[in-house]
Amino acid sequence: MSLQVGDRAPDFTLPDQSGTPVTLSERLSGKVVVLYFYPKDNTRGCTAEACSFRDGYESFTDAGAEVIGVSSDTVESHEKFAGRHELPFTLLSDKDRAVRKQYGATTLGVMPGRITYVIDGEGVIRHVFSSMTNIGAHVDDALRVVKELTAA
């Protein structure tokens, strides 16, 4: 069961692409976080999605938000993926898929899904978008919601 708008985002700590532990609640602290789950580094759809977030990254940061990507790939895979595509945001390694399970970020209940959550500074989920194919909408919808939240 995936989380819904209005639910509290479960806190977690995972290693980033350099192996440094990242805790969601520490990243929130009054700031909006765009947390997106994707299936796998270096696949066509996931590369397109990451590059779309990269291309819009300045708009997210200008609006006061942080972008964080999560997949079950290793720290080493994330490091290469981020370097190859010049990704300026954090990628987290959820090797055992525990966080993915907490968030219900799966397709058909078993396969890694492509789901984006916009979480406000209080840790409440304000937007959920799930689509394996409409990659551009993940970025566009998230940015629209971030701007709405930070303008208020």
Side-chain angles (χ1 to χ4, degrees):
M1 183 94 169
S2 66
L3 297 170
Q4 302 298 315
V5 171
D7 290 345
R8 180 151 296 283
D11 200 14
F12 61 83
T13 301
L14 291 173
D16 70 9
Q17 63 262 43
S18 64
T20 304
V22 171
T23 301
L24 178 64
S25 58
E26 292 173 3
R27 293 291 177 103
L28 286 168
S29 61
K31 163 191 281 194
V32 175
V33 170
V34 175
L35 182 69
Y36 82 95
F37 290 85
Y38 65 99
K40 188 157 181 54
D41 290 345
N42 297 306
T43 58
R44 186 173 26 186
C46 296
T47 299
E49 181 177 28
C51 290
S52 290
F53 274 114
R54 175 201 65 205
D55 295 346
Y57 184 70
E58 191 173 318
S59 296
F60 282 101
T61 58
D62 286 351
E66 180 170 1
V67 175
I68 300 174
V70 181
S71 81
S72 60
D73 292 295
T74 64
V75 167
E76 296 78 17
S77 176
H78 282 341
E79 183 179 37
K80 290 176 185 170
F81 185 55
R84 181 177 302 122
H85 299 289
E86 300 177 0
L87 305 179
F89 51 84
T90 302
L91 296 178
L92 300 178
S93 177
D94 182 23
K95 195 79 178 112
D96 63 2
R97 298 182 180 185
V99 174
R100 180 179 289 280
K101 288 175 190 158
Q102 274 186 299
Y103 278 75
T106 59
T107 300
L108 303 175
V110 292
M111 295 176 50
R114 184 181 317 282
I115 301 178
T116 300
Y117 297 91
V118 178
I119 306 166
D120 71 15
E122 302 300 315
V124 176
I125 296 170
R126 297 297 177 190
H127 178 73
V128 180
F129 183 76
S130 176
S131 175
M132 290 300 284
T133 57
N134 192 354
I135 293 164
H138 284 270
V139 177
D140 296 342
D141 285 3
L143 184 57
R144 177 184 49 77
V145 173
V146 165
K147 287 180 176 178
E148 289 171 4
L149 289 172
T150 57

